[in-house]
Amino acid sequence: MSTAQQKKVDNKTHRIILAVIVIFAILLVVVGSLQTCSQSDKAVEEGLPTWAEQTQIDAWTQEVIDDFNNRDYQAIADRYADGSVTAEQLSENLSSIQDELGAYTGMGTTQYLNGTSNGRPYATDISQVSFENGEGEFRISFFDDGSLAAFYFLRS
């Protein structure tokens, strides 16, 4: 075999090896992405997560309930970790319910749950509450820095 023919064979072999390496690298990236995307959040469980102290969760919950009762929707919106909720949205969804329920009269039973959202652990306080003209339930979830993961008020 001549030197020119040998160089052609070597170049062809190098191209095949390079193509195999590139395909393998692409497969590694795709498989790694699929594994990351397919990792689901932890199922919701009863109780508080290990990072949470009940007194702190209770204090944060009371702050949010106070903001709700004072109709300080901006304060609630500002607590959202991702900024996904506005004061205007909260006002639109809550004002008429608050008008109907009247003044807040107190809290009843509380239950705690925990889980993860996008890989970030949270604690949820579910509190039964009373108003002059009815009852309701707060479901308030916090991340470990006190920011809101979720805020729901359900009329009973």
Side-chain angles (χ1 to χ4, degrees):
M1 193 181 293
S2 72
T3 306
Q5 288 175 330
Q6 183 64 35
K7 283 186 179 183
K8 276 186 176 179
V9 170
D10 286 344
N11 284 341
K12 193 173 187 180
T13 303
H14 286 121
R15 286 184 193 153
I16 291 171
I17 291 170
L18 183 60
V20 168
I21 291 171
V22 168
I23 291 170
F24 183 71
I26 291 171
L27 285 173
L28 281 176
V29 169
V30 169
V31 169
S33 295
L34 289 175
Q35 286 179 340
T36 301
C37 292
S38 68
Q39 292 176 351
S40 61
D41 287 334
K42 174 181 103 167
V44 176
E45 299 175 347
E46 288 190 35
L48 290 172
T50 56
W51 61 264
E53 293 183 24
Q54 184 176 337
T55 55
Q56 183 63 69
I57 299 301
D58 291 346
W60 289 340
T61 297
Q62 192 59 56
E63 289 171 7
V64 174
I65 290 173
D66 289 345
D67 290 339
F68 173 86
N69 290 327
N70 294 325
R71 297 182 187 230
D72 190 350
Y73 305 122
Q74 188 61 55
I76 297 171
D78 289 346
R79 281 189 91 136
Y80 265 86
D82 61 4
S84 63
V85 176
T86 66
E88 292 77 25
Q89 291 169 321
L90 291 168
S91 178
E92 288 172 15
N93 292 317
L94 299 172
S95 287
S96 62
I97 294 170
Q98 287 180 279
D99 292 340
E100 293 171 22
L101 288 174
Y104 176 77
T105 58
M107 189 180 301
T109 62
T110 298
Q111 175 186 6
Y112 302 100
L113 302 175
N114 71 86
T116 58
S117 177
N118 296 320
R120 191 172 177 191
Y122 64 84
T124 300
D125 180 303
I126 301 174
S127 294
Q128 306 303 314
V129 291
S130 299
F131 296 86
E132 288 176 317
N133 303 316
E135 297 180 351
E137 178 179 273
F138 285 104
R139 295 181 182 183
I140 307 171
S141 299
F142 298 96
F143 292 120
D144 62 353
D145 62 358
S147 63
L148 282 175
F151 169 80
Y152 298 98
F153 177 77
L154 307 170
R155 188 175 181 175
S156 297

